[in-house]
Amino acid sequence: MRAIQITEFGRPEDVARVVDVEEPPAPGPGEVKVAVEFSPLNRHDLLFASGALLRPPLPLVLGNEGVARIVEVGQGVGTVAVGDLVVVPLFAGAWRERLLLPAEGLFRLPEGSAEQFSMLGSNPPTAGLILSEYTDLEPGDWIVQNAANSGVGRSLIALAKARGFRTINLARDESVFAGLTASGAGIVHLDDATAAEDVRKEIGDARVALAVDSVGGVSAGRLLDLLSEGGSLVAYATATGQPMPVDELTLIVKRGDGPRVSSPAITTTRQRCCP
């Protein structure tokens, strides 16, 4: 059985190898055996391989999310059945042909695109938790985010619209604007030096209750410029790797909560910065 494995941490292109591993045994009580159908390549897979996120024992099969078809069920499993398509739990090591999973928490997915379902384990839950866990949003509130065309960004647009929130979306490429607007984005603007001023002119004194950063650097500073008094800034990634410029006076005047840090579907740090 084939798998993608590392035996040391480092640059993914240097340490990841396709190897032959043992076939998993028959599932025990409360377990299922699944055949992986799709497992996407996410940035956190690359960080995982480099050792930047966690350093579990090696050798290690990579693959932090995906979908799989159940091929065998163990004794006592009644919630899913052979043939069901299920979401692979995070960090299960999905870059292999087959694996054992605990049946608890698994559920049958409806008919649809398995390729799209394979991304359910990370991006949509991250967007959903950002909208619900950090601040009390009210219908009509504005939310500003950068990297709006990312998986989390598009999920946030859809979930925010469904919950009655409005979104300000900063992106680097004008070619994605029409698609974001069609997905329900309220305002779309280039992530450039005029973004904060231009958007504030458009929305006036409307409340921007939440800012969502996954870029870092000066882009995160633009989010802070738009954030209203008492708002919250949530960071869940850092595409640039650059430090976030935070003006202490801005934090004092706006008296907000932030920054808070979130990883996919898991809150890792929650810190109140201002009185």
Side-chain angles (χ1 to χ4, degrees):
M1 184 184 77
R2 293 173 302 170
I4 299 178
Q5 178 181 273
I6 61 171
T7 57
E8 61 180 326
F9 297 106
R11 295 198 310 168
E13 61 268 35
D14 294 333
V15 299
R17 295 288 184 271
V18 177
V19 298
D20 290 321
V21 297
E22 290 186 7
E23 178 78 24
E31 292 182 328
V32 297
K33 182 189 286 191
V34 300
V36 177
E37 294 200 356
F38 287 97
S39 181
L41 173 62
N42 199 314
R43 177 171 169 79
H44 57 67
D45 291 298
L46 305 180
L47 293 172
F48 201 79
S50 71
L53 286 181
L54 299 169
R55 286 182 172 258
L58 299 173
L60 174 72
V61 175
L62 299 171
N64 292 332
E65 55 184 322
V67 289
R69 190 80 59 180
I70 295 177
V71 295
E72 291 185 54
V73 298
Q75 182 179 0
V77 175
T79 54
V80 288
V82 171
D84 287 350
L85 189 69
V86 298
V87 175
V88 177
L90 285 176
F91 306 113
W95 290 0
R96 69 182 91 195
E97 292 182 274
R98 290 169 293 280
L99 72 158
L100 289 180
L101 296 175
E104 183 178 2
L106 298 181
F107 58 92
R108 179 182 179 273
L109 291 167
E111 293 298 320
S113 168
E115 189 171 358
Q116 291 296 313
F117 286 148
S118 71
M119 294 178 281
L120 282 175
S122 177
N123 292 337
T126 298
L129 288 171
I130 287 171
L131 291 175
S132 62
E133 296 297 308
Y134 296 99
T135 191
D136 294 326
L137 296 169
E138 300 176 359
D141 279 346
W142 286 97
I143 300 160
V144 60
Q145 65 169 340
N146 52 28
N149 194 46
S150 66
V152 173
R154 284 182 170 269
S155 296
L156 190 142
I157 289 170
L159 292 173
K161 183 177 181 180
R163 299 181 189 184
F165 312 137
R166 299 177 289 180
T167 56
I168 302 160
N169 303 277
L170 307 185
R172 294 176 298 174
D173 187 349
E174 289 185 352
S175 67
V176 305
F177 284 13
L180 295 176
T181 301
S183 298
I187 295 174
V188 184
H189 195 287
L190 277 176
D191 192 356
D192 61 15
T194 69
E197 181 180 359
D198 292 346
V199 170
R200 185 49 76 180
K201 286 180 180 177
E202 185 168 349
I203 68 173
D205 295 330
R207 181 174 183 246
V208 180
L210 178 64
V212 182
D213 172 51
S214 67
V215 177
V218 295
S219 179
R222 294 180 190 124
L223 303 183
L224 280 171
D225 289 341
L226 277 166
L227 196 61
S228 296
E229 180 179 345
S232 295
L233 170 66
V234 177
Y236 67 90
T238 172
T240 64
Q242 297 175 355
M244 182 186 299
V246 179
D247 181 349
E248 290 88 345
L249 185 59
T250 298
L251 290 179
I252 293 169
V253 170
K254 294 190 175 182
R255 301 174 63 83
D257 281 354
R260 298 178 179 189
V261 183
S262 174
S263 66
I266 303 172
T267 299
T268 55
T269 304
R270 300 184 70 174
Q271 179 180 359
R272 186 176 179 89
C273 290
C274 304

PDB file of all heavy atoms in Angstrom, residues 41-71:
ATOM      1  N   LEU A  41      -3.862  19.428  -0.810  1.00  0.00           N
ATOM      2  CA  LEU A  41      -2.601  19.984  -0.312  1.00  0.00           C
ATOM      3  C   LEU A  41      -2.889  21.370   0.221  1.00  0.00           C
ATOM      4  O   LEU A  41      -3.259  22.269  -0.532  1.00  0.00           O
ATOM      5  CB  LEU A  41      -1.552  20.035  -1.428  1.00  0.00           C
ATOM      6  CG  LEU A  41      -0.237  20.750  -1.090  1.00  0.00           C
ATOM      7  CD1 LEU A  41       0.484  20.046   0.051  1.00  0.00           C
ATOM      8  CD2 LEU A  41       0.654  20.831  -2.325  1.00  0.00           C
ATOM      9  N   ASN A  42      -2.749  21.540   1.531  1.00  0.00           N
ATOM     10  CA  ASN A  42      -3.004  22.809   2.197  1.00  0.00           C
ATOM     11  C   ASN A  42      -1.678  23.357   2.705  1.00  0.00           C
ATOM     12  O   ASN A  42      -0.721  22.603   2.916  1.00  0.00           O
ATOM     13  CB  ASN A  42      -3.981  22.590   3.362  1.00  0.00           C
ATOM     14  CG  ASN A  42      -4.655  23.879   3.812  1.00  0.00           C
ATOM     15  OD1 ASN A  42      -4.016  24.906   3.992  1.00  0.00           O
ATOM     16  ND2 ASN A  42      -5.965  23.813   3.994  1.00  0.00           N
ATOM     17  N   ARG A  43      -1.631  24.648   2.942  1.00  0.00           N
ATOM     18  CA  ARG A  43      -0.394  25.246   3.467  1.00  0.00           C
ATOM     19  C   ARG A  43       0.004  24.585   4.785  1.00  0.00           C
ATOM     20  O   ARG A  43       1.195  24.412   5.065  1.00  0.00           O
ATOM     21  CB  ARG A  43      -0.565  26.752   3.649  1.00  0.00           C
ATOM     22  CG  ARG A  43       0.667  27.428   4.254  1.00  0.00           C
ATOM     23  CD  ARG A  43       0.558  28.942   4.222  1.00  0.00           C
ATOM     24  NE  ARG A  43       1.587  29.584   5.010  1.00  0.00           N
ATOM     25  CZ  ARG A  43       2.843  29.766   4.628  1.00  0.00           C
ATOM     26  NH1 ARG A  43       3.234  29.334   3.442  1.00  0.00           N
ATOM     27  NH2 ARG A  43       3.711  30.370   5.400  1.00  0.00           N
ATOM     28  N   HIS A  44      -0.990  24.207   5.598  1.00  0.00           N
ATOM     29  CA  HIS A  44      -0.599  23.619   6.880  1.00  0.00           C
ATOM     30  C   HIS A  44       0.029  22.237   6.709  1.00  0.00           C
ATOM     31  O   HIS A  44       0.755  21.775   7.585  1.00  0.00           O
ATOM     32  CB  HIS A  44      -1.760  23.600   7.880  1.00  0.00           C
ATOM     33  CG  HIS A  44      -2.989  22.888   7.442  1.00  0.00           C
ATOM     34  ND1 HIS A  44      -3.062  21.539   7.234  1.00  0.00           N
ATOM     35  CD2 HIS A  44      -4.243  23.365   7.198  1.00  0.00           C
ATOM     36  CE1 HIS A  44      -4.284  21.199   6.879  1.00  0.00           C
ATOM     37  NE2 HIS A  44      -5.020  22.285   6.838  1.00  0.00           N
ATOM     38  N   ASP A  45      -0.206  21.561   5.569  1.00  0.00           N
ATOM     39  CA  ASP A  45       0.528  20.322   5.287  1.00  0.00           C
ATOM     40  C   ASP A  45       2.019  20.605   5.112  1.00  0.00           C
ATOM     41  O   ASP A  45       2.878  19.852   5.603  1.00  0.00           O
ATOM     42  CB  ASP A  45      -0.011  19.657   4.018  1.00  0.00           C
ATOM     43  CG  ASP A  45      -1.414  19.096   4.198  1.00  0.00           C
ATOM     44  OD1 ASP A  45      -1.582  18.201   5.039  1.00  0.00           O
ATOM     45  OD2 ASP A  45      -2.321  19.554   3.493  1.00  0.00           O
ATOM     46  N   LEU A  46       2.332  21.698   4.422  1.00  0.00           N
ATOM     47  CA  LEU A  46       3.728  22.068   4.202  1.00  0.00           C
ATOM     48  C   LEU A  46       4.393  22.476   5.510  1.00  0.00           C
ATOM     49  O   LEU A  46       5.545  22.101   5.782  1.00  0.00           O
ATOM     50  CB  LEU A  46       3.814  23.202   3.181  1.00  0.00           C
ATOM     51  CG  LEU A  46       3.139  22.950   1.828  1.00  0.00           C
ATOM     52  CD1 LEU A  46       3.292  24.153   0.915  1.00  0.00           C
ATOM     53  CD2 LEU A  46       3.706  21.702   1.170  1.00  0.00           C
ATOM     54  N   LEU A  47       3.671  23.241   6.335  1.00  0.00           N
ATOM     55  CA  LEU A  47       4.217  23.633   7.633  1.00  0.00           C
ATOM     56  C   LEU A  47       4.422  22.413   8.525  1.00  0.00           C
ATOM     57  O   LEU A  47       5.389  22.336   9.290  1.00  0.00           O
ATOM     58  CB  LEU A  47       3.272  24.632   8.307  1.00  0.00           C
ATOM     59  CG  LEU A  47       3.145  25.996   7.624  1.00  0.00           C
ATOM     60  CD1 LEU A  47       2.047  26.821   8.281  1.00  0.00           C
ATOM     61  CD2 LEU A  47       4.468  26.750   7.673  1.00  0.00           C
ATOM     62  N   PHE A  48       3.509  21.454   8.436  1.00  0.00           N
ATOM     63  CA  PHE A  48       3.606  20.236   9.222  1.00  0.00           C
ATOM     64  C   PHE A  48       4.864  19.461   8.834  1.00  0.00           C
ATOM     65  O   PHE A  48       5.618  18.991   9.694  1.00  0.00           O
ATOM     66  CB  PHE A  48       2.356  19.387   8.990  1.00  0.00           C
ATOM     67  CG  PHE A  48       2.079  18.383  10.065  1.00  0.00           C
ATOM     68  CD1 PHE A  48       1.489  18.774  11.251  1.00  0.00           C
ATOM     69  CD2 PHE A  48       2.394  17.052   9.890  1.00  0.00           C
ATOM     70  CE1 PHE A  48       1.224  17.857  12.251  1.00  0.00           C
ATOM     71  CE2 PHE A  48       2.125  16.121  10.882  1.00  0.00           C
ATOM     72  CZ  PHE A  48       1.534  16.527  12.070  1.00  0.00           C
ATOM     73  N   ALA A  49       5.105  19.330   7.533  1.00  0.00           N
ATOM     74  CA  ALA A  49       6.283  18.594   7.059  1.00  0.00           C
ATOM     75  C   ALA A  49       7.579  19.278   7.481  1.00  0.00           C
ATOM     76  O   ALA A  49       8.585  18.620   7.748  1.00  0.00           O
ATOM     77  CB  ALA A  49       6.229  18.449   5.545  1.00  0.00           C
ATOM     78  N   SER A  50       7.550  20.588   7.555  1.00  0.00           N
ATOM     79  CA  SER A  50       8.757  21.329   7.936  1.00  0.00           C
ATOM     80  C   SER A  50       9.011  21.307   9.439  1.00  0.00           C
ATOM     81  O   SER A  50      10.096  21.699   9.889  1.00  0.00           O
ATOM     82  CB  SER A  50       8.642  22.783   7.469  1.00  0.00           C
ATOM     83  OG  SER A  50       7.674  23.482   8.237  1.00  0.00           O
ATOM     84  N   GLY A  51       8.017  20.864  10.215  1.00  0.00           N
ATOM     85  CA  GLY A  51       8.166  20.866  11.666  1.00  0.00           C
ATOM     86  C   GLY A  51       7.792  22.173  12.318  1.00  0.00           C
ATOM     87  O   GLY A  51       7.995  22.352  13.516  1.00  0.00           O
ATOM     88  N   ALA A  52       7.218  23.099  11.527  1.00  0.00           N
ATOM     89  CA  ALA A  52       6.886  24.417  12.076  1.00  0.00           C
ATOM     90  C   ALA A  52       5.648  24.392  12.953  1.00  0.00           C
ATOM     91  O   ALA A  52       5.483  25.249  13.822  1.00  0.00           O
ATOM     92  CB  ALA A  52       6.702  25.423  10.940  1.00  0.00           C
ATOM     93  N   LEU A  53       4.739  23.415  12.740  1.00  0.00           N
ATOM     94  CA  LEU A  53       3.517  23.352  13.532  1.00  0.00           C
ATOM     95  C   LEU A  53       3.671  22.424  14.725  1.00  0.00           C
ATOM     96  O   LEU A  53       3.520  22.829  15.871  1.00  0.00           O
ATOM     97  CB  LEU A  53       2.342  22.880  12.664  1.00  0.00           C
ATOM     98  CG  LEU A  53       1.776  23.867  11.661  1.00  0.00           C
ATOM     99  CD1 LEU A  53       0.600  23.252  10.909  1.00  0.00           C
ATOM    100  CD2 LEU A  53       1.312  25.150  12.359  1.00  0.00           C
ATOM    101  N   LEU A  54       3.932  21.147  14.447  1.00  0.00           N
ATOM    102  CA  LEU A  54       4.085  20.136  15.482  1.00  0.00           C
ATOM    103  C   LEU A  54       5.253  19.244  15.097  1.00  0.00           C
ATOM    104  O   LEU A  54       5.666  19.199  13.941  1.00  0.00           O
ATOM    105  CB  LEU A  54       2.810  19.285  15.610  1.00  0.00           C
ATOM    106  CG  LEU A  54       1.511  20.006  15.989  1.00  0.00           C
ATOM    107  CD1 LEU A  54       0.331  19.054  15.807  1.00  0.00           C
ATOM    108  CD2 LEU A  54       1.558  20.512  17.425  1.00  0.00           C
ATOM    109  N   ARG A  55       5.777  18.497  16.075  1.00  0.00           N
ATOM    110  CA  ARG A  55       6.856  17.551  15.789  1.00  0.00           C
ATOM    111  C   ARG A  55       6.537  16.205  16.431  1.00  0.00           C
ATOM    112  O   ARG A  55       7.155  15.808  17.419  1.00  0.00           O
ATOM    113  CB  ARG A  55       8.197  18.096  16.284  1.00  0.00           C
ATOM    114  CG  ARG A  55       8.746  19.226  15.409  1.00  0.00           C
ATOM    115  CD  ARG A  55      10.084  19.723  15.887  1.00  0.00           C
ATOM    116  NE  ARG A  55      10.662  20.656  14.943  1.00  0.00           N
ATOM    117  CZ  ARG A  55      11.628  20.354  14.082  1.00  0.00           C
ATOM    118  NH1 ARG A  55      12.128  19.125  14.053  1.00  0.00           N
ATOM    119  NH2 ARG A  55      12.103  21.266  13.244  1.00  0.00           N
ATOM    120  N   PRO A  56       5.565  15.491  15.845  1.00  0.00           N
ATOM    121  CA  PRO A  56       5.234  14.163  16.369  1.00  0.00           C
ATOM    122  C   PRO A  56       6.332  13.168  16.026  1.00  0.00           C
ATOM    123  O   PRO A  56       7.231  13.462  15.233  1.00  0.00           O
ATOM    124  CB  PRO A  56       3.928  13.825  15.661  1.00  0.00           C
ATOM    125  CG  PRO A  56       3.991  14.604  14.393  1.00  0.00           C
ATOM    126  CD  PRO A  56       4.720  15.871  14.718  1.00  0.00           C
ATOM    127  N   PRO A  57       6.270  11.967  16.598  1.00  0.00           N
ATOM    128  CA  PRO A  57       7.289  10.955  16.308  1.00  0.00           C
ATOM    129  C   PRO A  57       7.334  10.609  14.818  1.00  0.00           C
ATOM    130  O   PRO A  57       6.327  10.618  14.122  1.00  0.00           O
ATOM    131  CB  PRO A  57       6.838   9.749  17.142  1.00  0.00           C
ATOM    132  CG  PRO A  57       5.993  10.326  18.231  1.00  0.00           C
ATOM    133  CD  PRO A  57       5.305  11.512  17.629  1.00  0.00           C
ATOM    134  N   LEU A  58       8.531  10.297  14.348  1.00  0.00           N
ATOM    135  CA  LEU A  58       8.759   9.913  12.961  1.00  0.00           C
ATOM    136  C   LEU A  58       9.061   8.415  12.886  1.00  0.00           C
ATOM    137  O   LEU A  58       9.514   7.823  13.859  1.00  0.00           O
ATOM    138  CB  LEU A  58       9.926  10.717  12.386  1.00  0.00           C
ATOM    139  CG  LEU A  58       9.727  12.251  12.361  1.00  0.00           C
ATOM    140  CD1 LEU A  58      11.014  12.939  11.925  1.00  0.00           C
ATOM    141  CD2 LEU A  58       8.589  12.629  11.425  1.00  0.00           C
ATOM    142  N   PRO A  59       8.832   7.770  11.728  1.00  0.00           N
ATOM    143  CA  PRO A  59       8.296   8.299  10.463  1.00  0.00           C
ATOM    144  C   PRO A  59       6.825   8.670  10.580  1.00  0.00           C
ATOM    145  O   PRO A  59       6.114   8.153  11.446  1.00  0.00           O
ATOM    146  CB  PRO A  59       8.510   7.148   9.495  1.00  0.00           C
ATOM    147  CG  PRO A  59       8.477   5.929  10.348  1.00  0.00           C
ATOM    148  CD  PRO A  59       9.109   6.320  11.635  1.00  0.00           C
ATOM    149  N   LEU A  60       6.386   9.529   9.672  1.00  0.00           N
ATOM    150  CA  LEU A  60       5.039  10.079   9.761  1.00  0.00           C
ATOM    151  C   LEU A  60       4.422  10.157   8.374  1.00  0.00           C
ATOM    152  O   LEU A  60       5.036  10.676   7.436  1.00  0.00           O
ATOM    153  CB  LEU A  60       5.110  11.480  10.380  1.00  0.00           C
ATOM    154  CG  LEU A  60       3.819  12.284  10.442  1.00  0.00           C
ATOM    155  CD1 LEU A  60       2.889  11.704  11.496  1.00  0.00           C
ATOM    156  CD2 LEU A  60       4.111  13.747  10.740  1.00  0.00           C
ATOM    157  N   VAL A  61       3.199   9.653   8.231  1.00  0.00           N
ATOM    158  CA  VAL A  61       2.434   9.818   6.993  1.00  0.00           C
ATOM    159  C   VAL A  61       1.738  11.170   7.044  1.00  0.00           C
ATOM    160  O   VAL A  61       1.062  11.505   8.021  1.00  0.00           O
ATOM    161  CB  VAL A  61       1.407   8.686   6.813  1.00  0.00           C
ATOM    162  CG1 VAL A  61       0.536   8.951   5.587  1.00  0.00           C
ATOM    163  CG2 VAL A  61       2.124   7.341   6.666  1.00  0.00           C
ATOM    164  N   LEU A  62       1.896  11.960   5.986  1.00  0.00           N
ATOM    165  CA  LEU A  62       1.330  13.302   5.930  1.00  0.00           C
ATOM    166  C   LEU A  62      -0.138  13.262   5.518  1.00  0.00           C
ATOM    167  O   LEU A  62      -0.698  12.212   5.242  1.00  0.00           O
ATOM    168  CB  LEU A  62       2.132  14.149   4.949  1.00  0.00           C
ATOM    169  CG  LEU A  62       3.609  14.347   5.271  1.00  0.00           C
ATOM    170  CD1 LEU A  62       4.320  15.022   4.101  1.00  0.00           C
ATOM    171  CD2 LEU A  62       3.779  15.161   6.548  1.00  0.00           C
ATOM    172  N   GLY A  63      -0.737  14.437   5.445  1.00  0.00           N
ATOM    173  CA  GLY A  63      -2.134  14.567   5.005  1.00  0.00           C
ATOM    174  C   GLY A  63      -3.049  14.899   6.145  1.00  0.00           C
ATOM    175  O   GLY A  63      -3.435  14.030   6.923  1.00  0.00           O
ATOM    176  N   ASN A  64      -3.420  16.183   6.248  1.00  0.00           N
ATOM    177  CA  ASN A  64      -4.175  16.652   7.412  1.00  0.00           C
ATOM    178  C   ASN A  64      -5.680  16.679   7.207  1.00  0.00           C
ATOM    179  O   ASN A  64      -6.414  16.919   8.168  1.00  0.00           O
ATOM    180  CB  ASN A  64      -3.701  18.055   7.808  1.00  0.00           C
ATOM    181  CG  ASN A  64      -2.287  18.041   8.343  1.00  0.00           C
ATOM    182  OD1 ASN A  64      -1.833  17.048   8.899  1.00  0.00           O
ATOM    183  ND2 ASN A  64      -1.576  19.146   8.167  1.00  0.00           N
ATOM    184  N   GLU A  65      -6.171  16.450   5.998  1.00  0.00           N
ATOM    185  CA  GLU A  65      -7.609  16.467   5.769  1.00  0.00           C
ATOM    186  C   GLU A  65      -7.925  15.676   4.508  1.00  0.00           C
ATOM    187  O   GLU A  65      -7.033  15.358   3.716  1.00  0.00           O
ATOM    188  CB  GLU A  65      -8.140  17.901   5.652  1.00  0.00           C
ATOM    189  CG  GLU A  65      -7.437  18.737   4.597  1.00  0.00           C
ATOM    190  CD  GLU A  65      -7.907  20.167   4.545  1.00  0.00           C
ATOM    191  OE1 GLU A  65      -9.120  20.406   4.723  1.00  0.00           O
ATOM    192  OE2 GLU A  65      -7.082  21.063   4.316  1.00  0.00           O
ATOM    193  N   GLY A  66      -9.191  15.368   4.299  1.00  0.00           N
ATOM    194  CA  GLY A  66      -9.582  14.630   3.111  1.00  0.00           C
ATOM    195  C   GLY A  66     -10.918  13.936   3.287  1.00  0.00           C
ATOM    196  O   GLY A  66     -11.599  14.088   4.310  1.00  0.00           O
ATOM    197  N   VAL A  67     -11.308  13.160   2.285  1.00  0.00           N
ATOM    198  CA  VAL A  67     -12.509  12.333   2.357  1.00  0.00           C
ATOM    199  C   VAL A  67     -12.141  10.915   1.954  1.00  0.00           C
ATOM    200  O   VAL A  67     -11.210  10.686   1.171  1.00  0.00           O
ATOM    201  CB  VAL A  67     -13.657  12.839   1.456  1.00  0.00           C
ATOM    202  CG1 VAL A  67     -14.244  14.113   1.995  1.00  0.00           C
ATOM    203  CG2 VAL A  67     -13.196  12.988   0.024  1.00  0.00           C
ATOM    204  N   ALA A  68     -12.892   9.954   2.493  1.00  0.00           N
ATOM    205  CA  ALA A  68     -12.593   8.549   2.236  1.00  0.00           C
ATOM    206  C   ALA A  68     -13.889   7.756   2.199  1.00  0.00           C
ATOM    207  O   ALA A  68     -14.898   8.151   2.797  1.00  0.00           O
ATOM    208  CB  ALA A  68     -11.653   8.001   3.311  1.00  0.00           C
ATOM    209  N   ARG A  69     -13.848   6.613   1.511  1.00  0.00           N
ATOM    210  CA  ARG A  69     -14.995   5.719   1.402  1.00  0.00           C
ATOM    211  C   ARG A  69     -14.810   4.550   2.373  1.00  0.00           C
ATOM    212  O   ARG A  69     -13.742   3.941   2.414  1.00  0.00           O
ATOM    213  CB  ARG A  69     -15.102   5.198  -0.026  1.00  0.00           C
ATOM    214  CG  ARG A  69     -16.368   4.439  -0.357  1.00  0.00           C
ATOM    215  CD  ARG A  69     -17.521   5.356  -0.647  1.00  0.00           C
ATOM    216  NE  ARG A  69     -17.275   6.265  -1.746  1.00  0.00           N
ATOM    217  CZ  ARG A  69     -18.165   7.159  -2.169  1.00  0.00           C
ATOM    218  NH1 ARG A  69     -19.351   7.267  -1.571  1.00  0.00           N
ATOM    219  NH2 ARG A  69     -17.881   7.979  -3.169  1.00  0.00           N
ATOM    220  N   ILE A  70     -15.817   4.254   3.158  1.00  0.00           N
ATOM    221  CA  ILE A  70     -15.729   3.144   4.107  1.00  0.00           C
ATOM    222  C   ILE A  70     -15.764   1.823   3.353  1.00  0.00           C
ATOM    223  O   ILE A  70     -16.663   1.577   2.541  1.00  0.00           O
ATOM    224  CB  ILE A  70     -16.870   3.214   5.142  1.00  0.00           C
ATOM    225  CG1 ILE A  70     -16.717   4.474   6.011  1.00  0.00           C
ATOM    226  CG2 ILE A  70     -16.889   1.964   6.019  1.00  0.00           C
ATOM    227  CD1 ILE A  70     -17.835   4.667   7.011  1.00  0.00           C
ATOM    228  N   VAL A  71     -14.774   0.955   3.643  1.00  0.00           N
ATOM    229  CA  VAL A  71     -14.703  -0.349   2.979  1.00  0.00           C
ATOM    230  C   VAL A  71     -14.931  -1.508   3.947  1.00  0.00           C
ATOM    231  O   VAL A  71     -15.266  -2.610   3.510  1.00  0.00           O
ATOM    232  CB  VAL A  71     -13.353  -0.521   2.255  1.00  0.00           C
ATOM    233  CG1 VAL A  71     -13.228   0.477   1.112  1.00  0.00           C
ATOM    234  CG2 VAL A  71     -12.170  -0.368   3.210  1.00  0.00           C
TER     235      VAL A  71
END
